């Protein structure tokens, strides 16, 4: 699979500064990729149908990225191929006062899908090791001294471990976690911000805070490299997908979602003898309706 080049499963560290943000040699092939994406969306639909009927595994797909990398667009165009019955999208915003009184995974528990279902996380508990670490927000939380006296490094190393264990726990309970990072260049982010400022219909997507975060663009990418390296595992891999061309990102995202669904290996439930016999009797009765008309 083409997206394998961007897969991190714990077997190698991730260094985003060495990974492409653009489509490279594929740049001129927009039409071709749009057709391939459409084919993947059809496969996704069929696989999801079987996943839902099967009801044995659940899938969590989470998206992380810097602003304007295309999280919303990816959800709309790629996950739009899924049947809304069986999928829920959750947006992880700044935690509320109540959420902050709890451990950071508390709010996640309420967003987990049932087996047979899919949950899409637009941002996720990874914010708790990203924005929280970069802005040192944990220092403002009310927590015991024994927790807050940890060095920053120790505090977040523990969180990486907790996240790995949480995802392993999900895997061992018949859920899979697929993690997608949209890797955008600083130049492309500038273009998209300008477009949001200049296009009235897109104004609402821009906030002055976005520039504050942009000022720390490289710092964020270094931290993402660290976080991806520390939390990528075989069963809960990360994909750091180039995000400068939306059509290319969408194709790669459709590939990794199809693969994740295939790994769930859904199959339609097989009927037992008794139910099959009942179905046959129902069939005979339905056919008899025509004859008695
Ligand atoms: P867009 O990319 O289109 O701007 P968005 O995902 O940034 O969309 P916003 O409503 O602009 O959506 O931002 C949500 C904000 O909530 C982000 O800045 C994110 O960092 C922040 N956030 C999410 N989880 C946490 C957390 N646990 N602690 C602190 N901030 C968080
Ligand atoms: Mg934002």
């Amino acid at each position: 699979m083409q997206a394998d080049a961007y897969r991190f499963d714990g077997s190698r560290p991730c260094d985003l500064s060495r990974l492409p943000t653009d489509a490279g040699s594929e740049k001129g092939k927009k039409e071709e990729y749009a057709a391939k994406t459409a084919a993947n969306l059809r496969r996704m639909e069929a696989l999801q149908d079987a996943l839902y009927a099967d009801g044995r595994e659940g899938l969590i797909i989470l998206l992380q990225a810097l602003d304007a990398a295309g999280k919303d667009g990816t959800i709309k165009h790629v996950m739009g191929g899924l049947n809304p019955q069986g999928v829920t999208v959750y947006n992880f915003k700044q935690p509320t006062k109540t959420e902050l009184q709890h451990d950071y995974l508390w709010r996640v528990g309420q967003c987990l899908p049932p087996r047979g279902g899919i949950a899409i996380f637009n941002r996720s508990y990874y914010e708790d090791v990203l924005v929280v670490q970069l802005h040192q927000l944990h220092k403002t939380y009310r927590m015991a001294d024994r927790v807050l006296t940890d060095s920053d490094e120790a505090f977040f190393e523990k969180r990486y471990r907790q996240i790995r264990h949480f995802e392993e726990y999900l895997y061992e309970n018949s859920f899979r976690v697929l993690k997608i990072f949209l890797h955008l260049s600083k130049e492309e982010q500038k273009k998209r911000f300008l477009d949001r400022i200049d296009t009235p219909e897109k104004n609402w997507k821009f906030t002055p805070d976005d520039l504050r975060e942009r000022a720390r663009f490289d710092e964020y990418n270094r931290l993402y490299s660290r976080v991806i390296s520390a939390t990528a595992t075989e069963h809960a891999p990360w994909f750091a997908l180039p995000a400068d061309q939306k059509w290319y990102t969408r194709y790669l995202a459709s590939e990794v979602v199809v693969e994740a669904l295939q790994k769930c290996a859904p199959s339609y439930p097989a009927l037992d003898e008794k139910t099959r016999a009942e179905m046959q009797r129902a069939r005979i009765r339905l056919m008899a309706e025509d004859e008695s008309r």
Side-chain angles (χ1 to χ4, degrees):
M1 158 170 102
Q2 212 159 324
D4 277 336
Y6 312 105
R7 180 199 301 269
F8 292 89
D9 59 7
S11 57
R12 57 174 176 148
C14 171
D15 178 358
L16 290 174
S17 68
R18 292 164 157 274
L19 281 180
T21 57
D22 72 5
S25 59
E26 305 307 289
K27 248 181 223 162
K29 304 182 186 165
K30 185 173 172 178
E31 301 307 317
E32 190 185 319
Y33 276 101
K36 285 163 93 173
T37 304
N40 274 345
L41 296 197
R42 286 192 292 277
R43 292 166 76 193
M44 214 186 277
E45 200 183 343
L47 283 162
Q48 183 209 0
D49 196 58
L51 180 84
Y52 187 77
D54 193 18
R56 285 186 303 164
E57 278 220 76
L59 179 63
I60 295 121
I61 304 169
L62 67 85
L63 285 145
Q64 284 290 152
L66 297 188
D67 288 303
K71 293 190 304 311
D72 292 355
T74 306
I75 291 171
K76 185 168 157 189
H77 293 276
V78 180
M79 316 304 172
L82 299 168
N83 179 351
Q85 189 168 329
V87 183
T88 313
V89 181
Y90 297 94
N91 296 306
F92 284 80
K93 302 275 183 192
Q94 280 180 14
T96 62
K97 231 172 154 184
T98 307
E99 284 167 352
L100 281 178
Q101 287 174 322
H102 292 264
D103 63 282
Y104 66 97
L105 292 176
W106 180 73
R107 65 173 175 169
V108 183
Q110 298 160 50
C111 305
L112 295 175
R115 296 189 189 93
I118 301 175
I120 295 164
F121 292 178
N122 186 355
R123 299 188 188 269
S124 65
Y125 46 91
Y126 278 96
E127 293 294 326
D128 293 283
V129 289
L130 289 158
V131 69
V132 171
Q133 182 162 194
L134 219 91
H135 289 283
Q136 300 277 292
L137 299 177
H138 58 300
K139 303 231 160 107
T140 66
Y141 299 166
R142 280 188 67 74
M143 291 197 285
D145 285 347
R146 72 183 157 76
V147 179
L148 291 175
T149 48
D150 264 348
S151 67
D152 280 356
E153 206 192 333
F155 182 87
F156 287 102
E157 283 296 331
K158 284 178 186 170
R159 285 201 166 183
Y160 301 149
R161 168 178 48 76
Q162 291 155 9
I163 288 176
R164 284 195 305 270
H165 285 183
F166 175 61
E167 291 172 350
E168 191 68 15
Y169 162 84
L170 288 172
Y171 182 74
E172 288 171 354
N173 280 278
S174 215
F175 295 89
R176 284 174 187 271
V177 186
L178 167 65
K179 306 176 293 199
I180 299 174
F181 171 70
L182 303 181
H183 188 206
L184 185 73
S185 67
K186 204 170 175 187
E187 300 71 49
E188 183 61 26
Q189 189 191 50
K190 179 176 173 178
K191 271 195 217 157
R192 293 187 190 175
F193 278 168
L194 287 171
D195 185 44
R196 287 178 177 192
I197 293 169
D198 296 339
T199 314
E201 296 76 29
K202 292 186 184 171
N203 285 169
W204 65 274
K205 287 193 182 184
F206 187 80
T207 60
D209 277 359
D210 291 346
L211 285 192
R212 191 193 62 196
E213 296 301 282
R214 176 176 167 78
R216 309 186 72 169
F217 194 98
D218 295 334
E219 244 179 294
Y220 260 115
N221 270 350
R222 278 196 298 275
L223 184 55
Y224 261 109
S225 301
R226 171 86 199 94
V227 167
I228 291 172
S229 301
T231 57
T233 62
E234 187 191 344
H235 300 308
W238 271 105
F239 288 86
L241 304 179
D244 285 354
Q245 286 83 25
K246 291 175 179 171
W247 51 268
Y248 191 55
T249 316
R250 286 170 194 169
Y251 168 69
L252 294 171
S254 71
E255 253 197 346
V256 299
V257 173
V258 165
E259 188 203 52
L261 284 166
Q262 279 168 340
K263 283 199 168 149
C264 294
S267 56
Y268 291 94
L271 300 180
D272 58 31
E273 273 304 310
K274 190 167 159 259
T275 318
R276 224 189 343 254
E278 264 170 29
M279 294 263 262
Q280 282 311 315
R281 281 197 293 279
R283 185 170 203 287
I284 291 164
R285 279 171 65 185
L286 285 168
M287 295 304 286
E289 282 179 9
D290 291 342
E291 282 157 26
S292 61
R293 233 188 246 150

